[in-house]
Each structure stands twice: as C-alpha cells, then as structure tokens.
Amino acid sequence: MAPSLVLAGARVVLPTGVVDDGRVVVEGTRIAASAPGNADVIDVTGHWLVPGFVDIHNHGGGGASFSGTADEILTAVRTHRLHGTTTLVASTVTDEMDLLVTQAGLLSELAEQGDIAGIHFEGPFISPCRKGAHSEELLRDPDPAEVRKLIDAGRGKVKMVTLATELPGGIDSVRLLAEHGVIAAIGHTDATYEQTVEAVDAGATVATHLFNAMPALGHRAPGPIAALLEDERVTVELINDGTHLHPAALELAFHHAGASRVAFITDAMDAAGIGDGRYMLGPLEVEVSEGVARLVEGGSIAGSTLTLDRAFKRAVTVDKLPVQDAVTALSVNPARLLGLFDRIGSLEPGKDADLVLLDANFDLKGVMRQGEWAVAPQLP
C-alpha cells in the first residue's frame, strides 16, 4: 500500500471557511484526519486546494458524447476529469425512445462500475417552443408511462429528467419521478409563473440551465424564472461560460437564490476539451466557432464547450464571487443534489480523496480522484 500523502501549505477551502497554510492528508482512496510519521509531503504553498468538481449536466467532451459507445463515453469522462470534474452525471439529448432506452442500459453499467455518477435525460419531454438544440420531430409529451420506461431502463441509475412540466402529463410525471427518487428538473419550458409554481409544489427541485430555453423574465408575466428563483426548494443550474449568461443575470441568480441554491454546470458537448469544428449533437449538426457551439441549421446555441475549471476561474475572477461560494456551486450543492455529500463535495476526513489544485491565478495545476492523480501536480 502506498504511504500516506500530505498536501501542505495551500489555502484549503473547507465547509467552515478558508484555511490558510492548511493541509490535506490522503490515505488510500480517502481523506484522513491525521498523517503517520512516514507520510510523503508535497509542498503546495501558494496554491488553492478545493474539492473535486461535480457536474450534473454534461453531454460529452474530447470529441465524444454520452450518447455514444462505452469507449466514447469513457473518453468524455476522462476529458472532463483532466479539467477537475471528478464526479459527472452523463446527459443524453432527445432521440428515439428505443435508442434512449438502449443508451440507458449502457450508461447504467458504467454507473455501476463507478465511471459516472448516474444518468440525466434532457428530452424528449420538452417544449417545441423552447427546444434549443433538440430535434423537434422527436419531441413528445411527458407521458408518465414513457418516463417510467426510461427510469426502469436505467436500473436505479437515473438521477435527473428534464421536462417541460406544462405539457400534458407533466405534473403527473414530476410526481412519478419524485416517488422514485429521481430529480425532476424544469427546463426547455414555455411554462407560465403559475404553471411553474404548480410543478415545484408537485416535486420539481431543479431548474435546468436557468434563463436558457425558457421565457424571459417579464414584469407582467414573470414566467418560470421568477418562480424558480424565489422558491427555496429549487436549485438553479447556471452555465458560466460568458456566452449563455450575461454577468448581470448570474449576479441576479446569486442575489435571489443565494450560493446555497446554485449549481454550476457545463452542459458541454463533444467539442469540450478539443476546439472549433463540426460536431454532432444527437441527430443535429453543430458548428463550433471561437468556442461557441451553434446548430448549423437555425443557429441556436447547442450546449457549450465549457469545462468546470474554466467556470470556476470565471466565477472568482470575472464575476468576483468569493472562492467559498464558487466551491459551493461547483462541488457542495451538486453533491448534495445527487445524495452523495456523505462521500464527495468537500475536503473532510472520511470522504473520497477528490480534489483540485489551483495556482494563485486559479489555473488548474493538479487533479486527484479517489487518491490517484488524474493530473499530477504541476509545481514550480
């Protein structure tokens, strides 16, 4: 067995605050409370140590998608791991039901192996008015029987389903998801304020990429945004890439929801970690130019090329969020949502040794997952 490891001298972000000149002890796959005398010590003075990032909404990366083969899925997982995402939920896009059922079976196997933390179905139960980068001819109303079919296909590994809850069957489907311990997320929706309140009362607890693919906030018709921001039961996803949201919109979300109710996501597609070019998102062709992904036909934004290390750096440098709030949005809240906070999401003894090493400029310099370096420390 490898000797214990001590990472010493960093600014360590804990649930209780930031500890200057702190240390994290790693023993095997977990964080330990203390180190034996023979522990290896790595001096990381001048750096930050934060928990591994947790992404609950991610479609792919490294040229591969979570709608692909097992090898492609693992390529996408590895790509995001190199950028600090140590826990990831695999998101699908709208497709034929039979194909989604088949994909659920494959993804559930990888979840059982621990490669991914579960499955998120974004579509096909979404509004054609707010479809974004989803194929309109494949959309359908959220019939509870079909929702149940996907839940069953995922063999206990379905973590979240995004629905336009105003569609026929939407509220019954929310109740079904809640009964099965699956997060019902409101998104790609044309719902009114009142319809959104009804869905939250029925058990919906997440706003899928708040502001995007939903009616804008209006002073006479406030729509879903106001309802989702004001309700303490709802966690709001935000894509902090500088394209999906104006900084003032992000500030509005943090002001009204508070850091404890925000989860930063990537909504990444295949191009994340690679670059510009032509890609497929489900059955639709996407052009990525200067890091922005848009449908070739119609020009809708088609996910992002974001990685969570970039979302973190932008949050603390451009958006001027406290580091503690960024960690809460990137690690603590998504871990709680997934029911995994007893194991991940913070640098506490007994939890998995999942951590990210950042330099003073918040650039990534190391990634550890379950005690093993995915990115070895890059120290001066």
Side-chain angles (χ1 to χ4, degrees):
M1 183 176 175
S4 298
L5 176 66
V6 179
L7 300 169
R11 302 190 74 185
V12 181
V13 182
L14 300 175
T16 51
V18 178
V19 177
D20 292 324
D21 194 21
R23 56 188 232 151
V24 174
V25 179
V26 177
E27 196 168 289
T29 63
R30 297 185 180 274
I31 297 170
S34 60
N38 65 341
D40 292 336
V41 178
I42 299 178
D43 184 354
V44 288
T45 300
H47 290 69
W48 291 85
L49 275 175
V50 301
F53 306 140
V54 182
D55 195 353
I56 60 171
H57 186 158
N58 185 320
H59 296 280
S65 86
F66 294 121
S67 298
T69 65
D71 284 345
E72 289 169 337
I73 292 164
L74 293 174
T75 293
V77 169
R78 284 192 292 267
T79 297
H80 285 280
R81 198 167 290 168
L82 296 177
H83 293 275
T85 299
T86 51
T87 301
L88 181 150
V89 174
S91 302
T92 64
V93 294
T94 296
D95 214 324
E96 300 282 359
M97 279 296 293
D98 288 348
L99 292 176
L100 290 173
V101 165
T102 300
Q103 196 65 16
L106 174 57
L107 289 168
S108 67
E109 290 177 14
L110 295 172
E112 288 162 4
Q113 293 170 197
D115 296 304
I116 59 174
I119 307 165
H120 164 220
F121 291 106
E122 187 182 27
F125 311 117
I126 60 176
S127 171
C129 305
R130 305 286 174 178
K131 65 182 184 299
H134 291 256
S135 178
E136 185 168 353
E137 58 267 26
L138 296 175
L139 301 182
R140 56 184 67 210
D141 291 338
D143 179 348
E146 293 204 315
V147 175
R148 177 64 188 268
K149 193 174 178 182
L150 291 182
I151 295 173
D152 290 345
R155 303 201 301 262
K157 299 302 181 182
V158 178
K159 293 293 185 180
M160 183 163 66
V161 177
T162 295
L163 312 99
T165 53
E166 75 278 8
L167 295 176
I171 296 300
D172 286 340
S173 291
V174 168
R175 293 193 182 103
L176 173 74
L177 291 166
E179 287 168 5
H180 285 80
V182 178
I183 296 165
I186 299 172
H188 288 274
T189 177
D190 204 40
T192 63
Y193 174 88
E194 292 77 14
Q195 288 171 326
T196 306
V197 169
E198 182 185 9
V200 175
D201 286 342
T205 56
V206 165
T208 292
H209 43 54
L210 187 75
F211 299 109
N212 299 116
M214 60 182 63
L217 185 65
H219 63 289
R220 291 194 184 92
I225 293 172
L228 294 165
L229 280 176
E230 73 183 10
D231 200 302
E232 295 294 323
R233 295 170 291 182
V234 177
T235 298
V236 298
E237 295 180 349
L238 297 177
I239 308 170
N240 192 25
D241 61 353
T243 298
H244 281 79
L245 296 176
H246 189 282
L250 182 135
E251 185 179 358
L252 179 74
F254 269 88
H255 178 76
H256 285 278
S260 65
R261 289 178 46 221
V262 172
F264 281 141
I265 60 163
T266 60
D267 194 18
M269 46 78 72
D270 301 25
I274 291 192
D276 293 353
R278 289 274 179 120
Y279 299 86
M280 297 301 294
L281 184 62
L284 302 178
E285 192 171 13
V286 175
E287 176 80 32
V288 178
S289 177
E290 296 182 358
V292 178
R294 293 185 179 275
L295 290 183
V296 171
E297 290 191 18
S300 290
I301 294 178
S304 84
T305 61
L306 187 62
T307 51
L308 283 183
D309 57 334
R310 285 170 43 212
F312 188 105
K313 181 171 181 174
R314 181 179 177 85
V316 297
T317 59
V318 176
D319 304 311
K320 306 300 183 185
L321 290 178
V323 173
Q324 189 87 36
D325 287 356
V327 167
T328 299
L330 280 156
S331 304
V332 176
N333 294 340
R336 287 193 194 281
L337 271 176
L338 296 176
L340 298 175
F341 192 64
D342 62 330
R343 212 186 79 217
I344 62 170
S346 64
L347 300 178
E348 296 176 278
K351 293 194 174 185
D352 288 356
D354 293 356
L355 56 85
V356 177
L357 181 69
L358 304 165
D359 67 14
N361 297 317
F362 300 101
D363 290 318
L364 185 143
K365 294 298 177 181
V367 180
M368 176 180 284
R369 183 175 186 269
Q370 295 182 1
E372 294 189 4
W373 291 109
V375 176
Q378 301 164 45
L379 300 172

